[in-house]
Amino acid sequence: MKLEGRYPELHLTYCTNIHPGETWEDVFANLQRHLPALKARLAPDVPFGVGLRLANIAAAELLQGDRLVQFRQWLDRENLYVFTLNGFPYGSFHHQVVKDRVYTPDWTEVERLEYTLRLTEILAALLPAGMDGGISTVPLSYKPWWSRSKDADTAFRSSSLNLARLALEMARIERDSGTWLHVDLEPEPNGAIENASETVEFFQSWLLPVGGMWLAEQLGCSRQQAEALLLRHVNVCYDTCHFALEYEEPAEAIAHLQAAGIRIGKVQISSALRVDMPTDIAARQTVVERLRPFAESTYLHQAIARQPDDTLSRYVDLDAALPDLLSGDAVEWRIHFHVPIFLQDYQILQSTQDHISGVIELLGDRFSCHHLEIETYTWDVLPAAMKQDIQLSIQREYEWVLEALSHEQSLAA
């Protein structure tokens, strides 16, 4: 939905990766089932935004025949509009083991480029006039792979070239139609770019020099012009869960990106699990037992521990971290499990909800971003005690965000 007042250019949605379905038939059935009902509850009289997730197979099917035209007509009839796509998971994302396969193919591979070009064509056709459109994507690759089969420099170079090829197509679309599209790299723990510093390093050491040189040759323009195009069409998706996991303060992380000229194309609103670790061993054992249900087998649940001296210890998944939770001396743990954003506390566990509040506090005054997307995709794998009706849960998340935005707007008045 389009927000007014202090946020006149801000659009809020939720990511439909919540709903299982990899084919276009399944995706469209889910949209028909959920979106009109949610709109009736939340925004009956105004257009309602859609954060569309399409797997590669669904994207290819949507581009066949007149399906895209029919979908646009359905959106218009229901007073819905698409302004952002989730292009992170290429393939299956529910009801089977995903783990590190979510990064496959990565940005070193032409399949990732071709998939994102399909999403670009779809978004260009669906985006309302006068709006920018974004496609969130993987943080280039998965860092643990590099020690086995990928050389980091080679991965950064090939990723830069593929992103430049995508930027070239987005620049062509903007030249021909005036439609501004951007791809939004999404840093997360164990990604090739994990945090603000690694993101800035990639842009400055790889994307701009390598991609800029290639783009300048293709367009016959200066390196400065080519780099400006890259910064326009390659942005960052600031996932509040991911940056909180890295123990980054919103103001510092956002300022770091801004100083390097990197735009935030989308803010994904999500919460991580957080645990303030007790010193008593029996209390620690209780924490471990509370966390065991979150060590499920579908998704990666990276864990990062903060030691008493503020150094960080990293684990590729929660099941690998649990033994050290019991025996280590960390004072805080943060775990990559998207928990409902309206929960600050869950029994003896906490969330990183305060990081979301910190980002919302900065919106409009400290940084500009047009797209907000709620992204709690773990409803199917939450512990039973946290599960509720899916539509009610989505509604509660919207209401929490709208209340937080309203609170900041009243403070600024």
Side-chain angles (χ1 to χ4, degrees):
M1 66 183 74
K2 187 176 187 296
L3 303 178
E4 303 296 340
R6 185 185 178 198
Y7 311 102
E9 299 302 320
L10 193 61
H11 300 265
L12 173 65
T13 185
Y14 81 100
C15 185
T16 58
N17 65 352
I18 290 173
H19 309 302
E22 311 308 319
T23 68
W24 172 243
E25 181 181 7
D26 289 339
V27 170
F28 192 34
N30 279 323
L31 299 180
Q32 291 172 303
R33 182 180 306 118
H34 294 288
L35 287 177
L38 281 167
K39 183 184 186 307
R41 294 183 183 187
L42 293 163
D45 302 319
V46 296
F48 192 66
V50 181
L52 187 61
R53 186 259 161 166
L54 296 172
N56 180 58
I57 186 172
E61 290 172 348
L62 181 54
L63 289 170
Q64 294 172 0
D66 63 350
R67 284 174 175 160
L68 190 54
V69 172
Q70 290 183 359
F71 180 46
R72 177 63 184 263
Q73 292 171 346
W74 178 80
L75 291 168
D76 290 342
R77 286 196 303 271
E78 298 292 340
N79 204 10
L80 303 167
Y81 65 101
V82 173
F83 63 91
T84 184
L85 301 184
N86 186 331
F88 196 127
Y90 176 94
S92 298
F93 194 60
H94 289 277
H95 302 157
Q96 59 183 284
V97 176
V98 178
K99 296 294 184 182
D100 61 356
R101 284 162 43 191
V102 75
Y103 301 98
T104 303
D106 64 14
W107 272 104
T108 69
E109 299 172 85
V110 69
E111 290 83 2
R112 173 63 63 172
L113 172 61
E114 291 171 342
Y115 164 52
T116 312
L117 285 169
R118 282 189 278 276
L119 297 180
T120 298
E121 182 179 353
I122 290 167
L123 186 55
L126 297 177
L127 188 67
M131 291 181 57
D132 64 305
I135 303 168
S136 51
T137 190
V138 294
L140 307 179
S141 185
Y142 183 53
K143 193 175 289 182
W145 290 343
W146 295 357
S147 62
R148 301 195 297 269
S149 60
K150 291 182 184 292
D151 173 77
D153 286 358
T154 301
F156 279 136
R157 180 175 298 278
S158 57
S159 295
S160 297
L161 291 172
N162 280 330
L163 286 166
R165 293 181 179 105
L166 176 64
L168 180 63
E169 174 60 13
M170 289 182 168
R172 183 198 65 76
I173 290 171
E174 185 168 23
R175 182 198 66 206
D176 294 346
S177 68
T179 300
W180 173 27
L181 303 178
H182 43 87
V183 64
D184 305 325
L185 300 174
E186 187 177 332
E188 72 172 21
N190 286 333
I193 49 175
E194 298 195 35
N195 50 39
S197 294
E198 291 187 358
T199 301
V200 169
E201 174 66 19
F202 167 68
F203 272 74
Q204 293 181 340
S205 298
W206 294 101
L207 180 64
L208 296 180
V210 174
M213 181 179 294
W214 182 89
L215 198 55
E217 291 174 354
Q218 300 301 309
L219 294 173
C221 65
S222 69
R223 279 280 300 279
Q224 185 177 19
Q225 290 171 315
E227 291 180 5
L229 277 176
L230 282 171
L231 288 171
R232 182 164 179 79
H233 296 292
V234 183
N235 296 181
V236 163
C237 173
Y238 190 109
D239 187 301
T240 56
C241 167
H242 300 167
F243 278 84
L245 281 164
E246 296 284 345
Y247 294 84
E248 298 213 56
E249 291 298 323
E252 294 176 7
I254 291 168
H256 196 174
L257 295 169
Q258 287 179 315
I262 301 170
R263 288 183 173 92
I264 297 174
K266 172 160 68 175
V267 172
Q268 278 187 332
I269 301 175
S270 56
S271 273
L273 271 176
R274 182 177 66 83
V275 185
D276 292 322
M277 289 302 294
T279 56
D280 178 71
I281 189 65
R284 280 182 175 246
Q285 182 64 54
T286 301
V287 168
V288 170
E289 294 307 314
R290 288 287 190 274
L291 284 174
R292 287 196 193 280
F294 294 93
E296 57 84 37
S297 61
T298 304
Y299 305 111
L300 278 176
H301 300 296
Q302 303 95 316
I304 303 181
R306 180 172 62 86
Q307 305 299 329
D309 62 357
D310 286 336
T311 59
L312 302 180
S313 301
R314 300 172 181 273
Y315 299 83
V316 295
D317 213 343
L318 179 56
D319 56 1
L322 286 174
D324 283 1
L325 253 123
L326 189 59
S327 60
D329 58 358
V331 295
E332 182 180 359
W333 284 77
R334 297 185 182 186
I335 296 132
H336 186 198
F337 197 115
H338 288 212
V339 293
I341 62 175
F342 49 77
L343 291 181
Q344 176 65 51
D345 300 289
Y346 172 61
Q347 297 175 353
I348 60 173
L349 309 178
Q350 298 83 45
S351 77
T352 58
Q353 187 190 79
D354 60 334
H355 193 101
I356 303 173
S357 300
V359 172
I360 289 175
E361 183 179 340
L362 300 172
L363 265 176
D365 295 333
R366 298 285 291 277
F367 79 106
S368 175
C369 176
H370 300 160
H371 298 171
L372 290 184
E373 182 180 56
I374 299 166
E375 203 219 11
T376 307
Y377 59 80
T378 50
W379 300 105
D380 283 350
V381 296
L382 282 171
M386 297 179 76
K387 290 183 179 180
Q388 295 182 7
D389 172 78
I390 187 64
Q391 286 213 359
L392 177 60
S393 297
I394 297 170
Q395 180 179 344
R396 288 187 65 187
E397 296 211 301
Y398 268 98
E399 289 170 347
W400 186 90
V401 174
L402 290 169
E403 175 61 30
L405 290 167
S406 176
H407 177 70
E408 286 303 321
Q409 184 161 294
S410 67
L411 291 178

